[in-house]
C-alpha cells in the first residue's frame, strides 16, 4: 500500500517536471533593428545586470517599447547590453524527456524490488 502512495507522489512530481520544463533557449541578436520582429518574445539584458523577458512592441527614436508582465516599459538603447530572441530548443526538450523517463523507470524498479525499505542491504550476499 505504501508503494502505491509512493508511486502516486513520484508520478505527480514527474508530471510537474514535464509541465514546467523550459523548452526554449535565447539566442543573442547581432545587428540592428532589422533582425527584431515586433510582438515576438525576447530577453533584454541591461547594463545594470537586470534581465527582462517580454515582447518588443515598438521603437521610438532611441527607446525600445517593451511589454513585460502586462506593463509597457520604455528602455533606452544606451541601457541595453544585449537582446536575445527566444528560440525553441529540441535538445533541451529531448534531454528533459529522457531524464524524466529514466528517473521514472528507476523509481518504478526500486519500488517493485523493495529497495526503499530501511533494512535493505544490497551487499548482504557479498559479505
Amino acid at each position: 500500500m505504501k508503494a502505491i502512495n509512493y508511486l502516486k507522489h513520484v508520478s505527480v512530481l514527474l508530471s510537474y517536471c514535464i509541465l514546467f520544463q523550459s523548452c526554449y533557449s535565447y539566442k543573442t541578436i547581432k545587428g540592428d533593428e532589422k533582425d527584431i520582429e515586433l510582438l515576438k518574445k525576447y530577453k533584454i539584458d541591461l547594463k545594470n545586470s537586470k534581465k527582462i523577458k517580454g515582447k518588443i512592441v515598438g521603437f521610438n527614436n532611441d527607446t525600445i517599447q517593451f511589454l513585460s508582465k502586462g506593463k509597457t516599459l520604455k528602455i533606452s538603447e544606451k541601457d541595453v547590453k544585449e537582446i536575445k530572441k527566444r528560440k525553441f530548443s529540441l535538445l533541451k526538450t529531448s534531454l528533459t524527456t529522457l531524464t524524466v523517463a529514466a528517473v521514472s523507470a528507476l523509481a518504478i524498479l526500486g519500488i517493485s524490488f523493495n529497495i526503499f525499505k530501511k533494512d535493505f542491504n544490497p551487499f548482504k550476499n557479498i559479505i
Side-chain angles (χ1 to χ4, degrees):
M1 190 67 169
K2 287 184 179 183
I4 293 173
N5 286 335
Y6 183 75
L7 262 177
K8 286 180 186 178
H9 292 297
V10 168
S11 64
V12 168
L13 177 66
L14 293 174
S15 299
Y16 281 130
C17 289
I18 292 171
L19 288 175
F20 295 111
Q21 72 179 343
S22 175
C23 298
Y24 292 93
S25 61
Y26 288 87
K27 181 180 176 185
T28 302
I29 295 176
K30 295 177 183 173
D32 53 85
E33 296 173 6
K34 296 176 193 174
D35 297 332
I36 296 175
E37 299 175 44
L38 296 180
L39 299 176
K40 297 287 182 179
K41 294 197 176 186
Y42 291 90
K43 179 166 68 170
I44 295 180
D45 294 341
L46 300 175
K47 290 182 180 176
N48 63 359
S49 299
K50 287 187 179 181
K51 297 177 183 183
I52 306 169
K53 291 181 184 179
K55 296 179 181 181
I56 294 181
V57 181
F59 298 96
N60 290 335
N61 300 331
D62 291 335
T63 60
I64 301 171
Q65 291 180 343
F66 199 71
L67 182 65
S68 177
K69 297 180 184 177
K71 297 179 183 177
T72 303
L73 307 170
K74 292 183 180 181
I75 303 169
S76 174
E77 288 184 8
K78 292 182 266 180
D79 297 334
V80 175
K81 183 176 168 183
E82 67 182 354
I83 299 176
K84 297 178 181 180
K85 185 176 184 178
R86 188 166 98 160
K87 177 183 147 189
F88 180 76
S89 176
L90 184 61
L91 180 66
K92 279 186 179 181
T93 304
S94 58
L95 284 177
T96 303
T97 305
L98 290 174
T99 303
V100 168
V103 169
S104 300
L106 288 173
I108 291 170
L109 284 173
I111 290 169
S112 61
F113 289 114
N114 294 323
I115 65 170
F116 295 110
K117 289 184 176 180
K118 288 183 180 179
D119 59 343
F120 178 73
N121 184 2
F123 303 108
K124 66 183 174 187
N125 293 334
I126 298 172
I127 300 175

